[in-house]
Amino acid sequence: MADTMAPRNNVAQSESELHPLGRGPTYHWRANAALVDMAMALPPPRRLTIACVPQSVVVDLNRTALVVIDMQNDFCTKNGWVDHLGVDYSPDRAPIEPLRKLLPVLRGAGVPVIWVNWGNRPDLLNMPPNQIHLYKPSGVGIGLGDPLPGSGARVLEKDSWAAAVVDELKPLPGDVMVDKHRISGFWDTPLDSILKNLGTRAILFAGVNTDQCVFCTLTDANFLGYGCLMLEDCCATTSPDFCTEATVWNVKKCYGFVTNSDAVIAALGAQR
């Protein structure tokens, strides 16, 4: 046992030559041939008080992330899948303008931006029949992975135009991209691992649809122990109004807090 242990003086000498391991800004290791330091101190909290309901919330900007769900062409753009189905896609465009204002402010504050987009495998091998049936209930028509008329883009397929973020909200270098293939962004994706490596404890939620993918991702985040803040004006749905009302009520009652982009921008502005 003694032969495998580095002498104390060598360990002390090596501490100034440690190299970082890990991408997370708030938690990582340092190591060299003689020593692994797992006891990295967290940066001091950057406290931000945000007006929310049912209570105002203080978050640590060092441990907060914005998760934007499904703001992609198939849901929010002319000639996308929702448009092809004959559904009015315009409600799903409502978050674009508030997000255009909010994103540069959050990026400037060092808050990670994570885009969670529906992006299936081309071979659909990770999609069981019940998920395919959900979007092609009669077995015919244009469902997951099928080409859209005109563009030929395949519905919700990873790396296709259909699954890309809308032009108005193009991700920037440094943003994080996550492909999902269920209504929840946590199911069988690396989202939880990414958030943990970033040191995230509070999540701001935006995207579409409020009552479906946003809500299911938020509830899973709650079950995983994250603090959840829904940005109401940065979320939208093509569902009837009562669906949004029920979702917002349930978030306030059971799963987190509800606020909006103006409240976040105002809170960040008050710190300057």
Side-chain angles (χ1 to χ4, degrees), residues 200-216:
T200 303
R201 298 310 307 152
I203 304 173
L204 309 174
F205 282 94
V208 299
N209 282 292
T210 305
D211 54 320
Q212 298 169 15
C213 294
V214 174
F215 183 60
C216 288

Side-chain angles (χ1 to χ4, degrees), residues 165-264:
V165 174
V166 297
D167 288 342
E168 296 89 344
L169 297 174
K170 284 295 185 185
L172 297 184
D175 291 355
V176 180
M177 310 300 296
V178 176
D179 295 310
K180 72 178 179 69
H181 33 270
R182 296 292 191 277
I183 286 178
S184 170
F186 284 98
W187 180 264
D188 197 26
T189 78
L191 180 57
D192 187 42
S193 294
I194 290 168
L195 290 166
K196 286 177 178 174
N197 281 326
L198 289 171
T200 303
R201 298 310 307 152
I203 304 173
L204 309 174
F205 282 94
V208 299
N209 282 292
T210 305
D211 54 320
Q212 298 169 15
C213 294
V214 174
F215 183 60
C216 288
T217 305
L218 186 151
T219 55
D220 277 353
N222 171 273
F223 300 151
L224 289 165
Y226 296 98
C228 301
L229 287 71
M230 173 183 279
L231 303 176
E232 188 172 3
D233 63 328
C234 295
C235 299
T237 185
T238 56
S239 302
D241 289 345
F242 70 82
C243 297
T244 296
E245 294 167 4
T247 299
V248 170
W249 190 90
N250 275 303
V251 171
K252 292 187 292 186
K253 177 68 175 177
C254 302
Y255 302 111
F257 307 88
V258 178
T259 185
N260 57 53
S261 62
D262 287 338
V264 176

Side-chain angles (χ1 to χ4, degrees), residues 42 52 64 73 80-81 96 102 121-122 135 150 157-158 195 199 203 214 224 241 252 256 259:
L42 294 174
C52 302
T64 299
N73 290 320
W81 187 35
I96 292 175
L102 179 63
R121 292 169 53 103
Y135 301 106
E157 184 173 295
K158 176 180 168 60
L195 290 166
I203 304 173
V214 174
L224 289 165
D241 289 345
K252 292 187 292 186
T259 185

Side-chain angles (χ1 to χ4, degrees), residues 19-82:
H19 307 286
L21 296 175
R23 295 287 302 277
T26 61
Y27 178 64
H28 57 276
W29 293 0
R30 297 186 304 158
N32 61 23
L35 179 70
V36 176
D37 182 1
M38 303 180 188
M40 298 303 300
L42 294 174
R46 293 188 294 143
R47 297 168 63 87
L48 181 74
T49 303
I50 303 174
C52 302
V53 289
Q55 299 154 284
S56 292
V57 173
V58 179
V59 300
D60 177 1
L61 288 175
N62 289 327
R63 309 189 74 186
T64 299
L66 172 68
V67 170
V68 186
I69 299 167
D70 288 352
M71 291 301 299
Q72 55 201 104
N73 290 320
D74 258 346
F75 297 126
C76 307
T77 304
K78 182 177 177 58
N79 298 322
W81 187 35
V82 170

